[in-house]
Amino acid sequence: MDIKSYEWQSDFAKTHIAEGEVKGEAKGEAKSVLLVLDARGLSVPDSVRERVTGCTDTDQLERWVRRAAVIDRAEQLFD
């Protein structure tokens, strides 16, 4: 059986799959924030890196991606 095309039926499985997808999306957004800061040559202190990677709110992470494109210092991400 090809598990990629299998459609889970139980609420338990659907809930855990959805949670995993949200976590994966947040992880990707956090990576994007850090990549933008790095591409711009900005130094990223551990405190900023930890706050970004620890965030699970994808809406907040998307706002940070946008801010990362225009700020002068990584610490300004949270202003």
Side-chain angles (χ1 to χ4, degrees), residues 20-76:
E21 289 172 352
V22 169
K23 286 180 184 178
E25 184 178 346
K27 186 175 180 180
E29 290 290 343
K31 184 176 180 179
S32 295
V33 172
L34 298 174
L35 285 172
V36 170
L37 293 171
D38 181 63
R40 297 192 57 234
L42 300 179
S43 174
V44 181
D46 289 341
S47 60
V48 172
R49 186 176 305 280
E50 289 170 9
R51 186 166 172 190
V52 169
T53 58
C55 183
T56 58
D57 181 346
T58 55
D59 291 334
Q60 179 63 64
L61 287 161
E62 287 177 9
R63 286 189 292 273
W64 287 345
V65 169
R66 288 183 184 93
R67 285 190 53 78
V70 297
I71 57 178
D72 296 317
R73 292 179 26 253
E75 294 85 357
Q76 293 174 316

Side-chain angles (χ1 to χ4, degrees), residues 5-19:
S5 62
Y6 181 79
E7 188 170 329
W8 298 95
Q9 301 298 314
S10 74
D11 289 338
F12 176 82
K14 289 178 182 178
T15 298
H16 288 283
I17 289 169
E19 288 173 3

